[in-house]
Amino acid sequence: MDLIETFGAKVGALSEAKPEKARKLLAAGFQANGLKNKLASKRASQSDKMLFQTVNKAMVNCLTKPQGNVMVSLFTPCEMLHPLGLHPYSCEGFSSYLSGSKAEQLYLHQAEDIGIPASLCSYHKVFIGAAQMGLMPKPRFILSTSLACDANQLTFRYLSEFYGVPHFSIDVPFEPSPQAVQYVADQLREMGKFIARQTGQPIDENQLAQTVARSQRTMRLFQQGLQKRAGKQILSDLTSELLRTAAFHFLLGLPEVEAYARQLAREIETAPPATGKQLVWIHTTPYWITPLRALFSRTARVQIAACDMSYEGIVDADPAKPYEAMAKRLVYSPFNGPVERRIQRALEMAKTVDADGMVWFCHWGCKMTLGGARLGKKAFEEAGLPTLLLDGDSCDRGFGGEGQAATRVEAFLEVLEGLA
């Protein structure tokens, strides 16, 4: 048993008898990991280190400062929370960190033992199990959206009842339109009133506009980086791709995230020419699969040039109208509406970054992604982009298939290299 396995086992054992001590141990582990990252080898880029520290701090805060906790679904706009000093944390973020600590199995089993179906997304099962066992601190309140996962409609309503805390949910219309944007913007205004009631602090409209403007600048910097990404060698890893999802969703609007995006843009600007293959990755990255992680770890052979979990929030919006800007990000997300919108956006991004191929990761439990996989493969290959459909689970080590996943990606790379 390695050090992380020992740590995960200890967290699990404490969770069953002394969940508060388990929480403190988990927080100490995250803090130690943050220190380790600061002292990491020179192979890691400055932007990746900044990204790690920003997300890691958020996860430590949710464990050590529960009085400021707000539980959110991944796509919930959180710009109203940051100026109030509140700590949003998402299902995907918290569960990923438990998985990274090799502690997720106990909480998965706990969720299934209380009747949660095995087919539910593992991120949500881990999240529910951790709440049930007392590991996850009680939040002040819960915010969620109907985008983009059907499990959102169940998980957050259940946890609101479990914790006995208020819950505000945003309904995102299936079809994008100016009317849909206004409908969601009106709901976001109501969400602001809800937050004010829960905290006793009204939303400062000037601060909100400034925070949304920062979000827009951040995503614009990321977009500019992607536009210059073609033919560039940017060495990174699967973990950083997953962390970027957190940064560009529930942490979007923080100064640290804008600073990260600016540093990444600088690194892309000065990057050397690529010598390996460039991929567009669809959906989450299974960073816990050791042989797969090794295959993508800061290697010139292959890089993920873009991932739709990160670029989906790029939208042209006026930050002077903050509620409409946040609403537009939801309504016009490629994750909203029919899967063809997500496919078309991926094709556009593949052209932008001059991708050599596509990987569509079929995360177990994500019905929308699984259902669109064949349609995506057909569209991509008709456009001349070789595509790998890769089955797996981004959170649950019990899913298995580690070696097979790496073998299939290795074979796919050999095909791409043979086309050169």
Side-chain angles (χ1 to χ4, degrees), residues 10-317:
K10 183 64 174 177
V11 170
L14 282 173
S15 292
E16 295 190 279
K18 301 175 181 178
E20 289 189 5
K21 285 191 175 182
R23 189 186 309 160
K24 289 179 180 178
L25 177 62
L26 193 63
F30 292 170
Q31 289 167 330
N33 207 24
L35 179 60
K36 177 185 174 183
N37 176 264
K38 285 183 178 179
L39 304 173
S41 73
K42 294 181 180 178
R43 289 186 67 207
S45 67
Q46 182 61 26
S47 65
D48 276 358
K49 288 183 179 180
M50 292 170 69
L51 176 63
F52 184 95
Q53 291 300 325
T54 299
V55 180
N56 195 67
K57 178 183 176 183
M59 301 318 300
V60 169
N61 281 343
C62 91
L63 292 169
T64 60
K65 301 178 180 179
Q67 67 276 10
N69 276 356
V70 180
M71 185 186 293
V72 300
S73 64
L74 184 65
F75 291 84
T76 303
C78 292
E79 285 93 337
M80 284 181 259
L81 302 175
H82 302 318
L84 298 176
L86 298 171
H87 315 304
Y89 66 100
S90 80
C91 166
E92 293 80 0
F94 192 87
S95 296
S96 291
Y97 263 68
L98 282 177
S99 179
S101 303
K102 296 188 177 181
E104 84 283 358
Q105 289 301 310
L106 177 67
Y107 309 110
L108 283 166
H109 295 154
Q110 169 67 23
E112 292 179 4
D113 285 347
I114 63 168
I116 303 298
S119 59
L120 188 74
C121 172
S122 56
Y123 288 114
H124 287 258
K125 285 193 293 182
V126 170
F127 204 57
I128 290 170
Q132 279 276 339
M133 298 193 72
L135 179 72
M136 189 191 302
K138 179 179 179 178
R140 292 184 65 169
F141 51 90
I142 298 174
L143 306 173
S144 66
T145 77
S146 59
L147 185 70
C149 174
D150 55 359
N152 287 343
Q153 304 302 311
L154 305 173
T155 298
F156 296 99
R157 186 173 63 216
Y158 169 79
L159 290 175
S160 171
E161 294 174 357
F162 174 78
Y163 282 117
V165 298
H167 172 212
F168 190 95
S169 179
I170 300 166
D171 174 50
V172 182
F174 192 73
E175 293 295 337
S177 68
Q179 293 77 17
V181 170
Q182 193 57 56
Y183 171 68
V184 173
D186 290 342
Q187 291 180 74
L188 288 168
R189 288 186 176 90
E190 290 302 312
M191 188 174 88
K193 296 175 184 177
F194 170 86
I195 293 170
R197 289 195 298 272
Q198 304 310 315
T199 63
Q201 300 180 71
I203 301 299
D204 185 313
E205 298 293 330
N206 289 329
Q207 279 190 327
L208 177 60
Q210 291 171 15
T211 306
V212 171
R214 187 179 296 120
S215 295
Q216 287 298 112
R217 289 195 304 270
T218 299
M219 297 312 294
R220 195 175 304 117
L221 282 165
F222 186 53
Q223 181 181 31
Q224 290 167 357
L226 289 171
Q227 289 168 344
K228 296 178 181 178
R229 183 69 173 72
K232 297 291 187 73
Q233 181 169 283
I234 308 296
L235 304 184
S236 190
D237 53 34
L238 293 181
T239 301
S240 294
E241 284 298 335
L242 191 69
L243 295 176
R244 191 161 23 239
T245 301
F248 290 161
H249 286 88
F250 63 93
L251 300 180
L252 187 63
L254 289 175
E256 299 94 322
V257 176
E258 182 183 9
Y260 157 71
R262 183 169 285 109
Q263 176 62 26
L264 179 62
R266 289 193 199 104
E267 292 172 3
I268 292 173
E269 185 77 38
T270 59
T275 57
K277 298 302 176 184
Q278 306 291 306
L279 303 177
V280 169
W281 189 283
I282 306 299
H283 212 50
T284 58
T285 56
Y287 74 101
W288 64 267
I289 298 179
T290 302
L292 197 59
R293 185 173 68 239
L295 195 60
F296 282 94
S297 183
R298 298 184 176 87
T299 172
R301 185 186 181 193
V302 59
Q303 293 108 46
I304 297 174
C307 175
D308 73 341
M309 293 295 293
S310 298
Y311 66 66
E312 70 84 26
I314 296 173
V315 64
D316 184 22

Side-chain angles (χ1 to χ4, degrees), residues 334-346:
F335 280 71
N336 188 34
V339 73
E340 285 80 6
R341 293 190 61 221
R342 191 174 178 188
I343 292 168
Q344 184 57 41
R345 187 74 178 93

Side-chain angles (χ1 to χ4, degrees), residues 382-401:
E382 285 177 352
L385 290 161
T387 301
L388 172 66
L389 300 185
L390 187 64
D391 297 325
D393 195 294
S394 293
C395 191
D396 179 8
R397 281 180 169 76
F399 189 87

Side-chain angles (χ1 to χ4, degrees), residues 303-376:
Q303 293 108 46
I304 297 174
C307 175
D308 73 341
M309 293 295 293
S310 298
Y311 66 66
E312 70 84 26
I314 296 173
V315 64
D316 184 22
D318 182 3
K321 298 179 179 179
Y323 296 102
E324 284 73 15
M326 292 185 289
K328 194 170 183 181
R329 200 164 71 227
L330 293 174
V331 171
Y332 284 92
S333 167
F335 280 71
N336 188 34
V339 73
E340 285 80 6
R341 293 190 61 221
R342 191 174 178 188
I343 292 168
Q344 184 57 41
R345 187 74 178 93
L347 284 168
E348 293 167 2
M349 189 53 63
K351 183 176 181 180
T352 297
V353 301
D354 194 19
D356 297 294
M358 316 288 281
V359 176
W360 188 295
F361 185 68
C362 299
H363 169 68
W364 172 248
C366 185
K367 301 175 183 63
M368 295 172 65
T369 301
L370 291 169
R374 292 290 173 184
L375 293 173

